[in-house]
Structures are given as structure tokens and as C-alpha cells.
């Protein structure tokens, strides 16, 4: 299956960087989603605490 | 709370999965299905993702122009978010284009980089959109930031047009032109026929889909981010 | 785009169209140019710093390339355009920043005139300053580099290049005055946007200086002119949105 000929190393390099960059874009977005999700949870928590404080 | 219609979310999930599947098929076609090119050997296979990712950046930057005009006309903030998402994704694709170009050029031209018109102009294009991000971060008033970003997104498209036109009008470039007329005598051109053509078209389609999917997710991310920002301010003001 | 959760729309400026501008278009342009020129003749704050910058740049270049005639010949167009661009950025940054800091920009915008007339007034004023700098620079290089730059064709290319440069420059500098680090922002956003103009200008002036045949440089000059026209049209259409308050 892997009977690659001339310049196969450069081809591999090209595909590796493509995967790296695409993966980087996806990972970056995923990480930001996670950070935002955590912040949202924190805000929810603070809001809930405040509501409890008012009810007491 | 973010409430998108569940239908839209389902469509987004569908195209996301489709993009992943298409990408896997495209890689299979690039690496195994299509035969190696006679003179360039395996390095020629880079060309499929090279052109595909350029198409991705072209779509994104074109959409940025559209978003700019639409924002200036309607002043709807969603258009600004659409423009920003497109610039960021386009920058990523342009970076892929440049780096894959370099790995191809090393065996074919025997150099990673040369100050040849096409390479110069694509580097400028990248810098122009990096400047778009800088401009956004440098302006504090949000309404003005959106307005200026729209204007700059339109002006910066000159560099994209320049990149596309340059190898068709300048006789001293060595960059191959695969589609359309050229006056040049390129180093490393080849004919696009048979399986090479089919693979190329499949890759172009795949990268177009990937672009749409990434931009869509980026828009949702930006919406969420602005919403969290807004809620944060509210909570802080109540304390 | 109904993708936003809390869909928000920025306020559009109210367009209270004056039925017919009181002052004719070109009178407005002339008045703005004249105002800038008079202010400059009195204060000389812009042109002085541009001339000093030019002098120092040429000094540095000629010290670096002094002993080598070949190096001088092959770099003279580069030196010419690099200096024009950076001196131009110096001037462009000042032109609108001064207007904004004194508060006279608001007064100009309040006047019942076409905004694009204001743009062309500002742009022609900037163009005149840059051209004065370019002429002084060409004279300096002719003397210090001992290479004659005083060719009518080269002059035409310099004028074309400066027109494109100041058009984009005036548009973008009216954005960068609002930025946090305005002096740093202008070159960052201006250079990549204006490079299509600059590349054609540099290449055609190099070919003209080397006395190459017409076929070698004429396409570049044509493209330079096309880029100028496109940028002028874009700036004419977009300036309204930049200065709307």
C-alpha cells in the first residue's frame, strides 16, 4: 500500500502541516468553547447565590 | 440563553459530520486513488490541499466583503460577527496555503521561499487580514470598531484580487497557473486531466464545505462569547 | 444572518439630506485644500518633520552604500519608495490627528457639505505634501547618489504611485486616529492595503531608470493606473462610513 516514490517525505510534510493547522483551528475553538462554558457556569452559580441571599 | 432553532443546530451537526467524512475521502483520493505525477513524483499530491485551502481562504475573504457591505447597509451586529468569523478562518486557510506551498516548492523549485510575485502577494494578503484583527483590537468603541472593520474588510480584499491577478499579468513569475490563461513560463506545471482533475474537484468541494462548517462554528462561538461578556457585566454591576 | 441569540442592531446615523449642497463640490474641495495649505505654511509642523525625516533617511542610506556604485544603482528605486512611504506615513498620521485633537474635525463634519468633497480636499492636500517630499528626495538622490532621477517618465510614475498611496492613506488614517495606539496602527493597516500600488510603482520606476524598452514597464504603469482608479472609487464610496458620527 505504501509504495510512495520520489519526494514522499515532502508530501508527508505537506499533509502533516495541513492536518496540524486544521486541527489547531478546531482545537482552538474547542478550548474557547470550554473556557466560555466554565465562565457561564460560574455566572449561573453567582446569580443563584444572589437570589438565595435575597430570599433569606 | 442561546436559543438557536433545533433545526438549525441539526443542520449544523449534519454538515459537520459530512465535512469530516468528505475530508477523509479526499485524503484517501489524494494519497492512494490518484496516481503520482510523472515528473514531480509524490510532491505533486500537496497541490490538492494547497489549492483547496486557497479556495477556503478566498471564500472566507469574499464573504468578509459581503459582510462588510451588509453591515454598513443594515447595521446588524450579526453581519459583523459573520465578517470576523470569516477573517479568522480565512487566515487559517491562507496559512495552510502558504505552508503547503513551501513544502511543495522545496523539492520542485529547490527553495522554501522565493520573493516571486505570487508568493509576495499571498504574504501581503495574509498580513492585510492580520492587520484587520489588529485594527479591531485597537478600537475601543464597539460601534466604531464594527464600522471600521467593515470598511477595512472591503479595502483589504484588494490584496486577494491582487494575488489572483498577478500571475496572469506578470510574465516573470515561476508559479504555475493551473486554470486559465498565463503568459508565464512556470516551473512545475502539469496538465489537469483524468483522475488528477477529478481528485482536484473533489478536494475543492471538500474544502468549501469545511470552510462553511468552521465559519458557522466560529459564529456560534462568537455569539456565546459576547453573551458571556454581557452577562458578566450584568453580574458585576449587581454586586 | 439570524444566527445571533440577542440580535442587535447598531443605530444608523440619521440622514438628513440637504436638498442641494449650498456650496458647489469643487469649491469645497478647493477650500479644504487651501485651508490645509495655509495652516501648513503658518505652522510648518508637518512638512518640516517630513523633510527632516527624508534627509536623515537619505543620509543613512548613502552612508551605507557610499563606496559601492553598483549597490547604489540597484537600490536607488528602493530607497526612493521606502523613503516616500515612511515620510508619507509621518505626514498622513499628523494631518488627521491634528484635526481631531484641535476639535476642528467635528466642525468640518458639521458643515453642510458632501463628505466625499471633504475626503478629496484632505487627500489632495496630503498628495501635495507627499509630492513636495518626493521632488526634494529625487533631487537629493540625484546629487548624493550621482544617478539622474530627473526623468519626466519617472516623475509621472511617482505621481501615479503617490496618488494611490495618499488615497488609501487618507482613508485609513481617518480610521487610525481613533485607535488606541494611532502612530503604530497606521503603518500596520496601511502597508498591506497599499502594497498593490507600491509594487507596480517600484517595478515600473526601476525599469524606467534602467532605460529598458517600453514593453518592459508599460504594463506595470497601466496596472498602477487601474489600481489608483479602483482605490479612489473605493475611498469615495467608503469615506462616508468612516467619518459618520
Amino acid at each position: 500500500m505504501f509504495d510512495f516514490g520520489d519526494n514522499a517525505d515532502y508530501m508527508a510534510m505537506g499533509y502533516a502541516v495541513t492536518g496540524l493547522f486544521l486541527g489547531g483551528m478546531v482545537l482552538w475553538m474547542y478550548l474557547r468553547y470550554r473556557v466560555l462554558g466554565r465562565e457561564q457556569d460560574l455566572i449561573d452559580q453567582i446569580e443563584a447565590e444572589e437570589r438565595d441571599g435575597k430570599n433569606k | 440563553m442561546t436559543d438557536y432553532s433545533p433545526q438549525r443546530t441539526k443542520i449544523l451537526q449534519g454538515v459537520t459530520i459530512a465535512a469530516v467524512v468528505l475530508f477523509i475521502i479526499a485524503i484517501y483520493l489524494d494519497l492512494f486513488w490518484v496516481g503520482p505525477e510523472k515528473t514531480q513524483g509524490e510532491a505533486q499530491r500537496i497541490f490538492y490541499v494547497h489549492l483547496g485551502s486557497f479556495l477556503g481562504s478566498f471564500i472566507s475573504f469574499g464573504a468578509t466583503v459581503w459582510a462588510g457591505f451588509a453591515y454598513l447597509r443594515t447595521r446588524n451586529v450579526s453581519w459583523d460577527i459573520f465578517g470576523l468569523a470569516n477573517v479568522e478562518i480565512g487566515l487559517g486557510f491562507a496559512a495552510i496555503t502558504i505552508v503547503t506551498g513551501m513544502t511543495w516548492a522545496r523539492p520542485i523549485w529547490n527553495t522554501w521561499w522565493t520573493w516571486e510575485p505570487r508568493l509576495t502577494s499571498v504574504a501581503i494578503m495574509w498580513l492585510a487580514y492580520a492587520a484587520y484583527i489588529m485594527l479591531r483590537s485597537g478600537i475601543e468603541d464597539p460601534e466604531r470598531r464594527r464600522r471600521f472593520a467593515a470598511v477595512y474588510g472591503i479595502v483589504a480584499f484588494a490584496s486577494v484580487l491582487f494575488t489572483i491577478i498577478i500571475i496572469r499579468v506578470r510574465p516573470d513569475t515561476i508559479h504555475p497557473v493551473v486554470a486559465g490563461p498565463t503568459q508565464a513560463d512556470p516551473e512545475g506545471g502539469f496538465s489537469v486531466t483524468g483522475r488528477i482533475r477529478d481528485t482536484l474537484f473533489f478536494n475543492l468541494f471538500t474544502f468549501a464545505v469545511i470552510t462553511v462548517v468552521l465559519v458557522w462554528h466560529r459564529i456560534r462561538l462568537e455569539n456565546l462569547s459576547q453573551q458571556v461578556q454581557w452577562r458578566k457585566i450584568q453580574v458585576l454591576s449587581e454586586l | 444572518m439570524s444566527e445571533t441569540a440577542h440580535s442587535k442592531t447598531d443605530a444608523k446615523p440619521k440622514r438628513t439630506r440637504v436638498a442641494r449642497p449650498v456650496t458647489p463640490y469643487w469649491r469645497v474641495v478647493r477650500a479644504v485644500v487651501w485651508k490645509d495649505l495655509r495652516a501648513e505654511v503658518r505652522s510648518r509642523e508637518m512638512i518640516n518633520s517630513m523633510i527632516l525625516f527624508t534627509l536623515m533617511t537619505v543620509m543613512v542610506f548613502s552612508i551605507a552604500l557610499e563606496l559601492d556604485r553598483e549597490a547604489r544603482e540597484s537600490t536607488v528605486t528602493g530607497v526612493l519608495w521606502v523613503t516616500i512611504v515612511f515620510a508619507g506615513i509621518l505626514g498622513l498620521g499628523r494631518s488627521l490627528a491634528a484635526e481631531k485633537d484641535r476639535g476642528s474635525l467635528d466642525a468640518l463634519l458639521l458643515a453642510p457639505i458632501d463628505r466625499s468633497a471633504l475626503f478629496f480636499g484632505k487627500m489632495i492636500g496630503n498628495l501635495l505634501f507627499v509630492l513636495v517630499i518626493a521632488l526634494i528626495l529625487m533631487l537629493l538622490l540625484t546629487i548624493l547618489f550621482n544617478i539622474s532621477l530627473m526623468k519626466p517618465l519617472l516623475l509621472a510614475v511617482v505621481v501615479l504611485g503617490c496618488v494611490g498611496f495618499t488615497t488609501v492613506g487618507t482613508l485609513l488614517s481617518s480610521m487610525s486616529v481613533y485607535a488606541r495606539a494611532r502612530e503604530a496602527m497606521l503603518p500596520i493597516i496601511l502597508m498591506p492595503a497599499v502594497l498593490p500600488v507600491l509594487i507596480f510603482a517600484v517595478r515600473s520606476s526601476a525599469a524606467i531608470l534602467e532605460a529598458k524598452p517600453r514593453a518592459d514597464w508599460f504594463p506595470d504603469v497601466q496596472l498602477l493606473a487601474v489600481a489608483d482608479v479602483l482605490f479612489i472609487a473605493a475611498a469615495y464610496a467608503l469615506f462616508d462610513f468612516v467619518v459618520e458620527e
Side-chain angles (χ1 to χ4, degrees), chain C residues 157-231:
Chain C
V157 169
V158 167
V159 171
L160 274 179
C162 289
V163 167
F165 174 70
T166 47
T167 306
V168 185
T170 308
L171 178 72
L172 295 186
S173 70
S174 51
M175 305 209 298
S176 71
V177 286
Y178 292 102
R180 216 174 297 144
R182 55 162 83 137
E183 275 78 23
M185 189 60 79
L186 182 60
I188 288 173
I189 61 174
L190 177 56
M191 295 297 271
V194 86
L195 262 155
V197 168
L198 286 183
I199 285 185
F200 293 131
V202 170
R203 297 193 55 99
S204 45
S205 29
I208 287 169
L209 265 187
E210 287 162 29
K212 288 210 174 137
R214 195 184 128 95
D216 273 12
W217 49 262
F218 194 64
D220 279 342
V221 176
Q222 277 177 313
L223 287 166
L224 176 59
V226 170
D228 278 2
V229 172
L230 281 179
F231 276 130

Side-chain angles (χ1 to χ4, degrees), chain B residues 139-205:
Chain B
I139 298 194
E140 268 159 51
D141 176 30
E143 189 273 332
R144 182 174 282 142
R145 173 171 59 223
R146 290 193 271 269
R147 195 148 43 81
F148 285 6
V151 170
Y152 195 68
I154 295 167
V155 173
F157 196 68
S159 63
V160 181
L161 290 180
F162 182 63
T163 307
I164 292 169
I165 292 167
I166 189 94
I167 51 169
R168 297 189 163 76
V169 295
R170 284 281 303 279
D172 55 348
T173 172
I174 58 172
H175 191 287
V177 179
V178 176
T182 175
Q183 315 173 346
D185 182 23
E187 291 291 322
F190 50 86
S191 60
V192 180
T193 46
R195 283 194 166 194
I196 291 185
R197 188 197 54 212
D198 298 342
T199 312
L200 174 62
F201 282 149
F202 192 85
N203 269 270
L204 291 181
F205 177 70

Side-chain angles (χ1 to χ4, degrees), chain B residues 10 15 20 32 37 43 45 51 97 125 157 199-200 231:
Chain B
K10 221 166 235 162
V15 282
V20 173
F32 304 108
E37 207 266 339
R45 294 180 198 273
L51 204 64
T97 312
M125 181 181 96
F157 196 68
T199 312
L200 174 62
R231 286 186 66 196

Side-chain angles (χ1 to χ4, degrees), chain A residues 20-40:
Chain A
L20 206 72
F21 277 50
L22 275 177
M25 278 154 83
V26 173
L27 190 74
W28 176 240
M29 282 205 267
Y30 172 72
L31 286 177
R32 282 193 61 187
Y33 258 122
R34 273 213 357 202
V35 170
L36 287 172
R38 218 172 287 162
E39 280 186 20
Q40 216 168 16

Side-chain angles (χ1 to χ4, degrees), chain C:
Chain C
M1 282 292 102
S2 53
E3 262 298 291
T4 350
H6 48 100
S7 195
K8 212 175 107 210
T9 307
D10 285 329
K12 249 187 191 179
K14 287 197 195 79
R15 300 241 171 224
T16 39
R17 274 257 169 255
V18 188
R20 190 161 281 275
V22 192
T23 330
Y25 197 86
W26 287 108
R27 280 254 304 274
V28 177
V29 175
R30 211 174 55 197
V32 174
V33 174
W34 198 235
K35 170 194 82 68
D36 278 2
L37 285 185
R38 262 207 319 232
E40 192 53 45
V41 167
R42 282 185 196 148
S43 69
R44 284 181 296 276
E45 60 177 8
M46 210 163 107
I47 203 83
N48 275 355
S49 57
M50 281 163 89
I51 289 175
L52 273 177
F53 177 85
T54 310
L55 274 172
M56 283 186 268
T57 316
V58 172
M59 287 299 169
V60 171
F61 272 121
S62 44
I63 289 165
L65 308 166
E66 188 181 27
L67 297 168
D68 192 344
R69 162 112 202 155
E70 298 235 319
R72 265 183 290 157
E73 269 174 2
S74 57
T75 51
V76 68
T77 37
V79 174
L80 175 70
W81 280 105
V82 166
T83 314
I84 289 179
V85 164
F86 282 105
I89 286 178
L90 211 60
L92 285 166
R94 273 296 175 70
S95 148
L96 267 123
E99 202 89 64
K100 184 173 174 268
D101 292 346
R102 288 193 210 109
S104 50
L105 187 61
D106 295 332
L108 278 175
L109 294 175
L110 277 173
I113 50 171
D114 221 321
R115 291 278 166 79
S116 60
L118 187 59
F119 171 78
F120 283 119
K122 273 280 162 201
M123 177 234 157
I124 290 170
N126 288 332
L127 177 63
L128 288 178
F129 294 136
V130 174
L131 281 180
V132 167
I133 292 299
L135 271 180
I136 293 173
L137 179 62
M138 285 162 84
L139 203 71
L140 271 176
L141 288 179
T142 306
I143 295 164
L144 292 174
F145 277 40
N146 198 16
I147 298 163
S148 175
L149 293 177
M150 291 301 172
K151 294 180 178 174
L153 265 174
L154 184 68
L155 211 62
V157 169
V158 167
V159 171
L160 274 179
C162 289
V163 167
F165 174 70
T166 47
T167 306
V168 185
T170 308
L171 178 72
L172 295 186
S173 70
S174 51
M175 305 209 298
S176 71
V177 286
Y178 292 102
R180 216 174 297 144
R182 55 162 83 137
E183 275 78 23
M185 189 60 79
L186 182 60
I188 288 173
I189 61 174
L190 177 56
M191 295 297 271
V194 86
L195 262 155
V197 168
L198 286 183
I199 285 185
F200 293 131
V202 170
R203 297 193 55 99
S204 45
S205 29
I208 287 169
L209 265 187
E210 287 162 29
K212 288 210 174 137
R214 195 184 128 95
D216 273 12
W217 49 262
F218 194 64
D220 279 342
V221 176
Q222 277 177 313
L223 287 166
L224 176 59
V226 170
D228 278 2
V229 172
L230 281 179
F231 276 130
I232 288 173
Y236 172 78
L238 294 172
F239 186 69
D240 253 13
F241 296 113
V242 173
V243 293
E244 83 185 22
E245 288 308 302

